[in-house]
Amino acid sequence: MTSADINDLIRMLARLPGVGPRSARRLALTLLTERETMMKPLMMQMDKTYGQVMTCQTCGNLDSASPCHICTDTRRNRTLICVVQGIADIWAIERTRVFDGLYHVLGGVLSAIDGVKPEHLRIDELLERIRIEGTQEVVLALSATVDGQTTGHYLADRLKDTGVRIMRLAHGMPVGGELDYLDDGTLTTAMKSRTAVQR
Ligand SMILES: [Zn+2]
């Protein structure tokens, strides 16, 4: 391997979120010095995952099947849908084991600055699911940011004619807080003591 290859490896690692140039060099060195025990298993796992992973056509989750393992789990409460911005939020909520319903990934939040409009989010898909799945309750688990709250109000408005109970996470979430960054205790409390959206 030439040093150009090593530099390319470091550059690619540094593109990952949370990995700066210094961490990228350390990761590359570990991979290069432990090729059999670190690099090869990682490579094989990445290759396997790359070939298998897909987006669930129902909820928007990532899994090795569509519908995903959550959507097909018969032990879950199928009358309850938790609406989240992204997949990281599903992972965060699942980690707490506080929620036993289904999910719906919006794929972002409305944003005037970033030009994100309702048609860019999976809102029509949500309305369609509520219509055909017999949903009774929708929990809006959105970040306590301005855009997150704007999206919550917009969704509550769009959902009001469906007859479902519309809930949102309890206050106690830090203002400006991204769901994904909440500690498990705070997230559990916010979910357990969720409140009805006033309309
Ligand atoms: Zn799914």
Side-chain angles (χ1 to χ4, degrees):
M1 188 184 258
T2 68
S3 61
D5 286 329
I6 294 177
N7 279 330
D8 285 347
L9 178 64
I10 294 169
R11 241 195 324 274
M12 289 175 87
L13 288 169
R15 285 166 57 188
L16 294 168
V19 181
R22 185 183 156 84
S23 300
R25 287 194 295 273
R26 285 181 55 201
L27 289 170
L29 192 58
T30 302
L31 291 169
L32 293 166
T33 52
E34 297 173 45
R35 290 188 295 286
E36 285 306 311
T37 55
M38 295 287 265
M39 197 181 222
K40 197 171 172 187
L42 180 66
M43 232 166 61
M44 288 166 65
Q45 184 59 47
M46 282 192 161
D47 191 52
K48 186 171 165 227
T49 308
Y50 178 81
Q52 287 183 347
V53 80
M54 60 185 80
T55 301
C56 173
Q57 294 304 307
T58 306
C59 73
N61 191 15
L62 279 176
D63 202 358
S64 53
S66 172
C68 70
H69 74 282
I70 295 177
C71 285
T72 52
D73 186 346
T74 52
R75 290 163 304 182
R76 300 187 80 109
N77 180 351
R78 312 193 65 81
T79 67
L80 180 58
I81 293 181
C82 179
V83 175
V84 294
Q85 290 170 222
I87 292 155
D89 302 324
I90 295 185
W91 292 358
I93 296 169
E94 283 296 286
R95 214 168 48 221
T96 66
R97 299 172 185 275
V98 70
F99 180 77
D100 73 342
L102 306 175
Y103 292 95
H104 191 86
V105 178
L106 284 179
V109 281
L110 299 174
S111 167
I113 291 171
D114 297 328
V116 181
K117 299 194 170 79
E119 60 266 34
H120 299 133
L121 304 176
R122 301 178 63 252
I123 296 172
D124 289 340
E125 288 90 336
L126 174 64
L127 289 164
E128 179 69 3
R129 278 186 77 184
I130 291 170
R131 200 175 64 76
I132 61 176
E133 290 182 20
T135 309
Q136 290 172 11
E137 179 180 334
V138 169
V139 184
L140 302 174
L142 302 169
S143 295
T145 58
V146 173
D147 287 344
Q149 297 310 298
T150 304
T151 307
H153 291 306
Y154 177 83
L155 281 175
D157 195 50
R158 287 285 301 273
L159 294 172
K160 70 171 184 275
D161 294 334
T162 62
V164 295
R165 186 160 60 242
I166 308 167
M167 308 291 278
R168 62 169 176 176
L169 295 189
H171 288 298
M173 267 178 75
V175 173
E178 301 274 340
L179 198 74
D180 180 25
Y181 287 99
L182 292 181
D183 66 86
D184 292 0
T186 307
L187 187 51
T188 301
T189 307
M191 181 63 83
K192 272 188 180 161
S193 47
R194 56 186 184 262
T195 55
V197 173
Q198 302 298 323
R199 15 173 176 138

